[in-house]
Amino acid sequence: MLKKTPATTTSRQAVLDRLTGKQVIGPGLPTIEHDRMVHFDDPVEKFIEVLSTVGGQAHLVDDAQQIAQILSDIPVYANAKRVVSLVPEAIPGSLDVATIDDPHALASVDWTIAKGEFAVAENGAIWVEGATMPHRVLLFIAQYLAIVVSRSDLVHNLHEGYARIGTPKSPFGVFVSGPSKTADIEQSLVLGAHGCRTLQVFLTP
Amino acid sequence: MKSLPIVDHPTKARPFVADTERFHWHDQALWFVRSKRDKQAGSVPEWEHLRSLASQIKTETIANLGDYLVEFERNATALGATVHWAADAAEHNEIVLKILRDHETLRIVKSKSMLTEECGLNHFLEDNGIEVVDTDLGERIVQLRKETPSHIVLPAIHIRKEEVGDTFHEHLGTDEGASDPQYLTEAARQHLRDKFLAGEVGITGVNFAIAETGGLVVCTNEGNADLGVSLPRVHIACMGIEKLVPRFQDLSVFIRLLARSATGQPITTYTSHFHGPRDPNSELHIVLVDNGRSRLRNSNEFREALHCIRCGACMNTCPVYRRSGGHSYSATVPGPIGSVLSPTRDSSRYKSLPYACSLCGSCSDVCPVKIPLHHQLLAWRKELVGENLLPYSKRISMKAASILFRSPRLFSMAGWMGRKSLKILPHWATHNRLNTWTIARELPEPPRESFRHWYAENRKR
């Protein structure tokens, strides 16, 4: 059981005193006008284009059957032993995570099929809500990741994206854009750093 | 920290500059990143508008930082997080150690955080018997080599792939002589996966914290922060108090600017939003660190340096940084922003940094939050003169120049003498150890006559 460490606040007043000791007049907060921000004639096309530049692959699909077909054509999916599906209505998983308490037990997951709330055309990112995942680590620990999101849930830019989230309702939420990657060795881009090695995005109607 | 030696940028840069092939390579690597940034900035039609918004939001936040911090603390606490306050680096380290001790922790996994670098957290924890694993690949390379990051976004930008190969061969048992980035990254992935699974507490930095919601945002490409804090039950997030933004919607402005300015990507692969601990059995500790920031806020001249979102764009574009390497600054944050920030901590120790600048202004042009960096570097030079921190040689020559420029006759005579001596002086008289200016330069060919003489002959009627 956790022993909760209480907050250390001995310096709190000293820091706040220093910050209020000198009065500085601010300009007030600006209004962020969505009308002034970039919009696209075809946001779906833009999303697919940007996602591919960051190493992800998007697929336009009409139904769940098509998702299963595309996935089964990917060798690393066909050979996968442990598939966790968080959208069982579209793709059945082979591992039931409902009974798992400790996220460490998910270390051997091959694929996670996650559900995206909406996608952003300007930067190829998909918002995944923490509440849709029994363990948030599923998104990061799986060797391969697929996200299913409806193309009717596409926003043009990030401002619209944040407006859609409104106030975060669960303790975790993440924008995912492409597979895990690094360029720390001589600026050579390598896909698959710690998280997923590839990212497949299925855009349903 | 008082007795640390004075940092002399030219001296520290000398070994780096001496290796011509290497500094050209370093220069090119960073220019590549800068070019990617330009492409991204150019593809956002409202880029300049975003910069203005970001600048205004930051100005407002820093002006009322105390109020926003209290609002953040209240909201974060309501979500179940524990908010700690640290006046300086030492207190920050003690707070982190206390949390680790309370959980009898032996191993932590850490994602990239310039704040913990600034506070020297790694060494402090290791001295107290805790194994610290940096999980960002660049940071891990630097950690295994017992070096420090030379760049705030690209910590290992100064290291060649062959050197990474040697380091991994020694520590991770990869093949000798291997230098393929794909192979080396895969080896690091396997090695770090074990560390992730064994980590008992996850420590991350913070890119943005939101006063309105009490949450925080961490941006990575590798997913190391997320993996590091999703397995253990305790997450410690360490942040400088300037990382705050007032409203949740403000994130949209900064997230759009951050990765585009840093590496030329439209957004980082993972932009994670944490609002309170994972579940009732988990803990989220947030450590708010001042460490000189409140003092910087008091300075009318340099306050805007607190706007910095640590994208590193000013470094990538800086002609001096690209050619002298990050370590020549002897500071956690190098480059233009580091040359502004470091002297605010200790002006005498870092007095050479505001001179590691050609005043080209490129840093100010690329800064996503519009910090007037080159103006601040110039302002620092004025400040250093006022504090009598200029070297004696410069003080004397400035005095002499001032006398010279005030007297037209003296100026004219000095010109005549200069032209004559350039003609007759032998090479050894001008090129010797006493004249450091000529170490890598030839003196100009003297003109036949002065401008004053030419003007009198041709234009004055």
Side-chain angles (χ1 to χ4, degrees), chain A residues 130-147:
Chain A
T132 62
M133 293 179 286
H135 294 285
R136 62 175 75 155
V137 80
L138 280 169
L139 215 53
F140 312 107
I141 208 163
Q143 298 289 328
Y144 302 93
L145 180 64
I147 303 178

Side-chain angles (χ1 to χ4, degrees), chain B residues 380-391:
Chain B
W380 256 122
R381 297 186 188 180
K382 205 168 128 195
E383 186 89 13
L384 292 169
V385 172
E387 289 180 31
N388 270 332
L389 285 170
L390 221 54

Side-chain angles (χ1 to χ4, degrees), chain A residues 2-3 8 11-12 18-19 28 30 38 122 143 159 162 171 173 177 180-181 184 186 194-195 197, chain B residues 46 60 73 84-85 91 102 138 161 186 189 193 222 247 252 256 260 269 273 275 281 290 294 297:
Chain A
L2 287 170
K3 288 189 293 183
T8 311
S11 294
R12 183 181 186 274
R18 281 202 292 272
L19 289 174
V38 71
E122 97 172 89
Q143 298 289 328
H159 311 284
Y162 275 102
S177 177
S180 161
K181 60 178 83 69
D184 274 340
E186 276 202 19
H194 307 292
R197 297 169 185 274
Chain B
E46 64 273 23
E60 167 67 16
E73 180 191 38
H84 308 262
W85 296 69
E91 192 177 4
D102 282 354
K161 57 182 189 236
E186 182 63 33
R189 178 185 171 103
R193 197 144 266 238
E222 298 179 13
R247 306 166 298 190
S252 64
R256 289 189 75 192
R260 287 186 171 102
T269 301
H273 300 60
H275 281 85
N281 274 326
D290 181 344
S294 57
R297 181 184 166 276

